[in-house]
Structure formats: structure tokens, C-alpha cells
Amino acid sequence: MLSIKKIRTYCGSKKGVTEDFPFDFETLVIRVGEKIFLLANIAEKPLKINLKCDPFRSIELRGRYEQVTPGYHMNKKHWNTLCIDGMIPDNEVLELIDHSYDLVMKGMKKAEREALME
């Protein structure tokens, strides 16, 4: 099962990624450039993370896993909250992190994307 440490390391290996705690000392925000692609309450057990997701894929995931719910405190159409309790395979969670990162990157201007890739 993925830990917050493993998730932070995985995200940190991507181009242009930073992390901070802009809201409080428990809510980790992971960004690509200035845009958020993952949020996590590091004190919550089991761990829950918010990820951006294609709306159609969100519907499919929410139907397949009770651990995937509309994004807590986020746009429910474009964000999911994943409960990391071992029921969603680790490789699928990592793929959903990639998906969130990619969606945020696609929303950036070409010049912003290129600057992050250097």
C-alpha cells in the first residue's frame, strides 16, 4: 500500500513539481508549475488524496471503487478523492497521479510547459 512518503517521492521525480503547505500544516499541496495536481491531508488515516481527473473517467472510477469519491472541497466534476487503503491497486493510484499531472500540464500555455521541461 502506498504511503505519503512514496507518493511524495513519486511526484517529486516529475518535471516542474514542487510541494508546500499553503493552507495549514496538514494539507500537502503538490504542484506542477503554479497549478495543483495533488492534495493530501498527511495526518489522516487512512491517507486520502485529491487528484484531478477527466469527468468521464471519474464516473467510471467512482462506479468501480467505493474508495473513489467526488473531490473533497474541490470541483466535484473534475476532482476525485481517493482513499489509500489498499483496495485500489498501487499501480492504478500511480497511473491516476500521472493522469492528474498530465491534465494540469495540458491546461498550461505551451511556453509554460516548455519552461518546466527544461
Side-chain angles (χ1 to χ4, degrees):
M1 187 165 60
L2 290 171
S3 65
I4 190 62
K5 182 178 179 181
K6 288 177 185 174
I7 289 170
R8 290 172 89 172
T9 299
Y10 184 77
C11 291
S13 70
K14 296 180 173 302
K15 295 274 190 179
V17 169
T18 59
E19 59 178 55
D20 62 346
F21 290 85
F23 307 116
D24 54 39
F25 296 113
E26 294 180 352
T27 308
L28 171 67
V29 173
I30 302 181
R31 306 169 193 266
V32 55
E34 299 295 316
K35 303 287 186 181
I36 297 170
F37 74 95
L38 185 149
L39 293 105
N41 181 328
I42 62 170
E44 193 168 19
K45 303 290 185 224
L47 176 66
K48 292 183 181 168
I49 62 173
N50 282 8
L51 296 170
K52 192 163 190 166
C53 190
D54 172 80
F56 296 107
R57 189 168 185 187
S58 288
I59 292 167
E60 185 267 326
L61 288 166
R62 292 172 194 171
R64 190 162 24 127
Y65 298 109
E66 67 181 47
Q67 293 80 7
V68 179
T69 57
Y72 181 70
H73 282 303
M74 305 298 282
N75 180 317
K76 309 291 187 230
K77 181 177 179 183
H78 296 278
W79 287 83
N80 287 323
T81 297
L82 280 66
C83 180
I84 310 299
D85 63 0
M87 298 305 292
I88 304 171
D90 289 355
N91 64 330
E92 189 163 7
V93 173
L94 295 176
E95 196 279 320
L96 290 169
I97 291 171
D98 293 342
H99 178 64
S100 181
Y101 175 90
D102 292 344
L103 284 174
V104 171
M105 286 288 280
K106 285 179 189 171
M108 292 180 180
K109 294 179 181 170
K110 184 178 179 183
E112 287 177 284
R113 279 194 309 270
E114 289 175 351
L116 291 170
M117 292 296 117
E118 293 178 352

